[in-house]
Amino acid sequence: MKPATCLLSALLALCFPLHSRTAALSSREVASSMVTQWEFDDVANISTFLLDRESGILYLGARDAIVAVDTANKLKSPKIVWNVPEEKSRSCVTKGKTEADCNNYIRLLEFLGDGRIYACGTYAFDPQCAFVNISNFTLEKSEDGREEMETGKGKCPFEPSQHYTAVMAGGILYTATTSNFLGTLFDISRATGIEQERIRTERSINWLSDPEFVGSAFIQEDQNNNPMGEDDKIYFFFTEVAKEYDLYTKVKVPRVARVCKSDIGGMKTLQRRWTTFLKAQLVCEDRGSGQRFNVLTDVFTKQHQPGDPSSTHFYGIFTSQWEREEMSAVCVYSLEDITKVMDGPFKELKKSCENWMNPEPVPTPRPGQCLNSALKAEGFDSSLKLPDKVLTFMRDHPLMENSVVSAPLLVRSGVTYTKLAVTLTPVSNGNSKLNATVLHLGTDHGELHRIAVVGPNATLLQELPLFPASEPINNILLYKGEALVSSPNSLVKLPAEGCTLYPTCEVCARARPLGCVWREKEAACSLAVTEPGEVLNPEDLVSRCGRSEDRCSPEMKDLHVAEGLHVLLPCVQVSPRPCHWQHPPQRHTRRHLSDLEVRVTLESNGTYVCFCEEAGREQPACPRAAYRLLLQEPSASLSIMQASSRQFVAGYMLFFIIGFLVCGLLVCLVHRRRKKGGGGHSSSTSEKGRDLLPSSDTPQSPSSASLFSEAVPFAEKRNGTLNGHGGHMPERKCGYIYSNSSGLKLQDTSVNLAEGFPGRERAGPEGEEEGLGDGLSDIGDGLAGLEEELAKLHMLRGAPLAQCEESSI
């Protein structure tokens, strides 16, 4: 962008958006008054949360450190330093990793139940685990004074950024992670406990195919309400490449997998492998538009009825593999629906020619089911007693035929959600009672969004900026009516519930499904006293805060802009339902949430109106913002600045070309002087080569850094294979060096340079590119003279022919 254009863009960006960002500024003020922030010395890359709900102490896993934070008091937080020895870090770097990655990133913190915390870190790509004594908050040490550690392979990922999940179930650790240095092997395993019972998934793409693990949950059966004697289960959520689709590209699908707590593997088949591993596809599809979201990024587990495991629901954040713009959706799945799919038919993956084979008959007892009272009555009280035919079927059929289907609670464009937490608020709607779901969503730009969902209606309540835009939210934890939120470098605490969160009449009215009402006298939002049978529409309440005509008839703003500017047109969105813009057809725009960025061109003149859906889908969209872009002629000063900018570029190019020619001339003069000094006697090839090659290299050495070594040809591949022999070359100018019977030939690169800069061969309207073609022809003449001199060097006559590189699909 030109300097004058940059200056005007900055001025417009400062002027226009200010008055339309009132809602965002008020959110910042509210956030600053409610937020408690902790600052840590020398602590970065916070990635792991572990909360002691009795004491309120929050343990943070970070880079080379574990921090204990008292969430009730803003006191100085003690820290454990657990770093990598210097020699181990150097060894990690020599294996091709960066210095930043060769630290110890704490990825796992879990209570052991005996007053200790089990902590695991990447430890310079060699995962290690240690024990934290909670009473004195120190790492346990061995007799020689070193930290007492054990291998963390299979318990913790090797790389800091690898997707990973783990859950503790009955004192036993279950993990889903990579299990090798290269990150190519993936396991869902029982990582601790009795050695003979540490089992994992089969190494087969039918079981796991390039998975990206997202979350896990331990569902423990209610001992007082479990008539079938069902076993406890562990659920894993991930995204993997689907092998059931025959397409030319890799199709990602979200999955849920289930294993049983009492599974210890098979006797002959599936030894030390899961005999209960089943997985099913999760479908998050907007039925109205038919759009499907196929990449799962986060999962939150919530019991809708506390104490009842069967009421468990899983809320997931989804994105789309196919959408170019940022887009996020939230879908929810019940444990009951997942169980029905796991008890349904198996998918047959085997194929013969072009016809699907008849599915194999399902043996008995049913493969993949957890132990229960009925199986134990039949004599199958352990997975070791299952027949081989059952285990063989299980090994070949881990995928279920049916999918777990859900419609999105909300879909938002222009935003990427990273973390999710959910609270349920019981509300009264007439004579019926239902739960209002409040979604606490963290973005990749450090914002916390709160969205209330009641039935089919979703309402955006807050957008709170908590961290700098460069810091994504990576943890959200709800505790005693408060939310603990972290980015890689910061931790904050703010209220998660209550009507006082909503400072304006309009936002409070939209929180009416949560039981909130705006008090005019107090100018505050507080809990409502709802009379039996009272039904109030939030849209009606919003209209009381201001005339609907004012809200849906925005004032037209005229913006005088210059060509080349990038103008941001704000649109305040009060609902998570989508907003769309009406604008001229020939325009260059890009969306930023509900805002619109316009690059001003001659065709950009016209009216831009933002429409947002606020009520139900059956209601017409409400205009929220309107702008009229008026293109004005550039001022004289702008023309002068543009002209000076073009002159500067032309001068720079001329200086570069002259410098290149002078260097070439000096090389020729030096070479001729050396040749004259060495004339009159015969010299060997090695003696002439000393002027061009380092003393330790030879023309045949692969380590030679010379441009004329056969190990460094300009083009050395043809159809993906190395070509080290001579041959007939097609007449193409590729900028390579080769030799034949007549000696060395240096191909003219002037055509190549012209092709490397599209449009350079055509002078612009102002003539800013004039003289470039002449300069390149001069370079070609200089290279032709250098070519004749180099042809006399005998050392180069044996160089192999390097063919031009071709690409093939």
Side-chain angles (χ1 to χ4, degrees):
M1 187 182 292
K2 299 180 178 61
T5 303
C6 293
L7 179 61
L8 286 179
S9 298
L11 291 176
L12 285 174
L14 289 175
C15 296
F16 291 123
L18 288 180
H19 63 276
S20 59
R21 283 298 184 183
T22 306
L25 291 177
S26 63
S27 296
R28 289 179 183 270
E29 293 172 0
V30 173
S32 62
S33 64
M34 295 187 302
V35 167
T36 301
Q37 184 170 6
W38 281 267
E39 297 181 357
F40 308 107
D41 297 331
D42 301 326
V43 175
N45 297 97
I46 299 171
S47 62
T48 309
F49 270 20
L50 179 65
L51 177 65
D52 186 347
R53 294 188 174 271
E54 294 183 359
S55 64
I57 302 297
L58 177 66
Y59 298 94
L60 306 177
R63 182 182 65 193
D64 297 330
I66 304 172
V67 184
V69 178
D70 187 352
T71 59
N73 303 292
K74 192 177 178 181
L75 303 175
K76 186 175 181 179
S77 304
K79 178 178 67 173
I80 295 177
V81 177
W82 183 21
N83 49 23
V84 180
E86 185 176 353
E87 60 274 10
K88 189 170 186 64
S89 179
R90 286 199 302 266
S91 175
C92 173
V93 172
T94 58
K95 295 178 182 178
K97 304 302 179 181
T98 64
E99 292 185 5
D101 288 342
C102 292
N103 290 299
N104 186 25
Y105 293 85
I106 313 302
R107 300 294 306 276
L108 172 70
L109 292 174
E110 290 289 348
F111 291 113
L112 290 176
D114 57 357
R116 297 185 301 171
I117 295 175
Y118 196 57
C120 298
T122 59
Y123 210 74
F125 279 79
D126 182 20
Q128 297 292 322
C129 297
F131 301 90
V132 178
N133 192 317
I134 297 178
S135 60
N136 55 15
F137 195 59
T138 58
L139 288 177
E140 292 189 352
K141 300 183 181 297
S142 57
E143 296 180 355
D144 57 1
R146 297 182 178 180
E147 290 88 357
E148 185 178 348
M149 297 188 299
E150 62 183 29
T151 180
K153 294 180 180 179
K155 307 171 187 176
C156 174
F158 286 72
E159 189 174 352
S161 60
Q162 284 176 342
H163 296 273
Y164 161 75
T165 182
V167 62
M168 191 72 75
I172 304 297
L173 183 65
Y174 295 80
T175 63
T177 183
T178 54
S179 56
N180 66 335
F181 180 84
L182 298 177
T184 56
L185 299 179
F186 307 92
D187 287 328
I188 294 177
S189 63
R190 181 185 289 122
T192 60
I194 303 174
E195 182 65 31
Q196 292 76 13
E197 296 182 357
R198 296 187 184 183
I199 60 178
R200 59 176 175 83
T201 46
E202 184 79 356
R203 295 276 168 79
S204 168
I205 59 173
N206 290 337
W207 285 48
L208 294 173
S209 176
D210 294 332
E212 296 178 358
F213 299 112
V214 173
S216 53
F218 172 49
I219 306 300
Q220 189 173 9
E221 294 292 336
D222 185 4
Q223 299 298 327
N224 298 327
N225 189 19
N226 187 16
M228 300 299 297
E230 286 289 337
D231 191 13
D232 297 336
K233 303 171 184 66
I234 300 96
Y235 291 85
F236 294 90
F237 297 86
F238 54 96
T239 301
E240 69 174 352
V241 177
K243 293 302 178 183
E244 64 267 29
Y245 300 126
D246 292 331
L247 298 176
Y248 292 103
T249 186
K250 292 182 178 181
V251 179
K252 295 183 177 182
V253 293
R255 305 280 200 204
V256 55
R258 185 190 74 183
V259 296
C260 303
K261 188 171 180 291
S262 62
D263 189 356
I264 57 175
M267 178 62 71
K268 296 180 180 179
T269 305
L270 293 180
Q271 292 183 1
R272 306 289 295 274
R273 303 292 185 269
W274 294 109
T275 65
T276 57
F277 178 82
L278 296 176
K279 65 179 182 179
Q281 180 175 345
L282 298 174
V283 174
C284 181
E285 183 177 12
D286 186 1
R287 296 165 187 170
S289 63
Q291 186 175 19
R292 181 172 292 192
F293 302 89
N294 66 325
V295 179
L296 179 65
T297 59
D298 189 46
V299 169
F300 183 83
T301 304
K302 181 70 175 179
Q303 286 187 3
H304 281 199
Q305 299 178 7
D308 182 9
S310 63
S311 68
T312 301
H313 286 66
F314 304 100
Y315 293 79
I317 299 176
F318 292 83
T319 60
S320 176
Q321 177 185 2
W322 315 109
E323 293 295 330
R324 293 184 178 179
E325 66 173 338
E326 293 179 300
M327 184 171 290
S328 296
V330 176
C331 280
V332 59
Y333 305 89
S334 67
L335 181 63
E336 181 182 2
D337 290 341
I338 295 176
T339 302
K340 289 180 180 178
V341 172
M342 296 292 185
D343 293 338
F346 295 88
K347 181 178 284 293
E348 182 65 48
L349 290 177
K350 296 181 180 179
K351 294 175 65 177
S352 176
C353 298
E354 296 181 356
N355 299 321
W356 288 95
M357 297 178 60
N358 294 327
E360 300 179 20
V362 179
T364 55
R366 179 182 170 84
Q369 67 173 319
C370 297
L371 293 180
N372 53 31
S373 301
L375 280 178
K376 293 178 181 179
E378 296 177 11
F380 301 107
D381 57 353
S382 171
S383 61
L384 295 173
K385 296 184 179 181
L386 293 174
D388 281 347
K389 63 178 182 179
V390 172
L391 300 180
T392 301
F393 186 94
M394 179 66 256
R395 181 192 61 197
D396 299 334
H397 301 80
L399 181 61
M400 309 311 299
E401 174 69 26
N402 299 327
S403 301
V404 191
V405 182
S406 175
L409 296 177
L410 66 95
V411 177
R412 293 201 71 186
S413 300
V415 61
T416 298
Y417 288 126
T418 56
K419 297 298 292 184
L420 166 69
V422 178
T423 55
L424 299 177
T425 302
V427 295
S428 175
N429 186 10
N431 296 325
S432 61
K433 290 187 177 182
L434 66 160
N435 283 331
T437 304
V438 180
L439 305 176
H440 307 262
L441 293 157
T443 74
D444 61 343
H445 285 78
E447 291 186 345
L448 180 66
H449 295 181
R450 288 194 173 105
I451 297 175
V453 181
V454 181
N457 298 318
T459 303
L460 178 63
L461 301 177
Q462 284 181 320
E463 290 183 343
L464 302 177
L466 300 180
F467 307 111
S470 59
E471 298 184 17
I473 290 179
N474 58 7
N475 282 290
I476 301 177
L477 194 150
L478 303 178
Y479 173 63
K480 291 186 177 180
E482 295 178 321
L484 298 166
V485 185
S486 78
S487 72
N489 300 315
S490 305
L491 172 69
V492 299
K493 180 183 70 172
L494 68 162
E497 300 173 354
C499 298
T500 55
L501 295 176
Y502 315 116
T504 65
C505 177
E506 183 175 346
V507 176
C508 182
R510 295 189 178 281
R512 184 63 181 86
L514 304 180
C516 299
V517 67
W518 181 256
R519 308 291 183 184
E520 289 289 348
K521 293 183 179 180
E522 294 84 3
C525 189
S526 61
L527 191 64
V529 179
T530 305
E531 299 295 334
E534 181 185 7
V535 180
L536 294 176
N537 186 358
E539 294 301 322
D540 297 335
L541 295 174
V542 170
S543 63
R544 301 177 186 176
C545 299
R547 291 184 303 170
S548 177
E549 294 79 7
D550 295 339
R551 294 186 302 105
C552 291
S553 299
E555 178 186 358
M556 181 68 67
K557 300 179 177 65
D558 291 338
L559 304 181
H560 297 274
V561 295
E563 185 177 359
L565 290 180
H566 287 253
V567 181
L568 184 66
L569 305 180
C571 178
V572 179
Q573 185 184 22
V574 296
S575 169
R577 290 196 178 92
C579 294
H580 66 275
W581 286 80
Q582 286 185 356
H583 41 59
Q586 303 296 328
R587 83 282 179 265
H588 300 275
T589 60
R590 184 172 60 178
R591 290 286 297 274
H592 297 277
L593 290 176
S594 58
D595 301 339
L596 186 71
E597 179 185 345
V598 181
R599 182 168 66 86
V600 180
T601 63
L602 294 176
E603 296 81 10
S604 297
N605 275 10
T607 303
Y608 294 75
V609 182
C610 175
F611 293 86
C612 294
E613 298 179 10
E614 298 184 14
R617 293 180 182 272
E618 68 281 356
Q619 299 293 331
C622 175
R624 300 290 299 184
Y627 304 90
R628 185 185 295 113
L629 295 189
L630 303 176
L631 187 63
Q632 61 183 5
E633 293 296 330
S635 62
S637 60
L638 178 59
S639 302
I640 293 174
M641 294 179 67
Q642 291 176 345
S644 62
S645 176
R646 289 193 297 268
Q647 293 173 2
F648 173 77
V649 173
Y652 181 83
M653 292 295 297
L654 181 62
F655 177 77
F656 175 79
I657 293 172
I658 294 175
F660 188 84
L661 293 176
V662 171
C663 291
L665 182 61
L666 290 176
V667 171
C668 293
L669 293 177
V670 171
H671 176 69
R672 287 181 179 178
R673 179 170 296 181
R674 290 186 178 180
K675 181 180 177 183
K676 291 179 180 180
H681 66 279
S682 174
S683 61
S684 64
T685 302
S686 60
E687 290 172 344
K688 291 186 177 183
R690 290 195 186 105
D691 293 336
L692 296 174
L693 297 175
S695 59
S696 60
D697 292 332
T698 65
Q700 292 79 23
S701 172
S703 63
S704 172
S706 171
L707 194 61
F708 307 109
S709 171
E710 68 177 16
V712 194
F714 277 13
E716 59 179 0
K717 290 187 179 180
R718 183 180 179 88
N719 291 334
T721 59
L722 292 175
N723 189 0
H725 56 80
H728 176 69
M729 288 293 297
E731 291 296 328
R732 292 187 296 171
K733 298 184 185 240
C734 296
Y736 49 79
I737 295 175
Y738 63 92
S739 65
N740 50 26
S741 59
S742 61
L744 177 71
K745 176 68 177 176
L746 178 62
Q747 188 71 17
D748 187 358
T749 59
S750 61
V751 177
N752 222 21
L753 290 173
E755 294 175 355
F757 297 91
R760 296 295 191 190
E761 68 278 6
R762 299 187 301 272
E766 302 293 330
E768 57 265 33
E769 301 296 341
E770 293 179 359
L772 182 57
D774 296 338
L776 293 178
S777 63
D778 294 340
I779 297 175
D781 296 340
L783 292 176
L786 179 61
E787 172 185 307
E788 295 177 359
E789 298 297 333
L790 295 175
K792 300 176 183 179
L793 297 179
H794 300 284
M795 59 167 287
L796 298 171
R797 292 186 177 178
L801 180 67
Q803 298 186 3
C804 293
E805 184 173 358
E806 294 182 355
S807 61
S808 60
I809 299 177

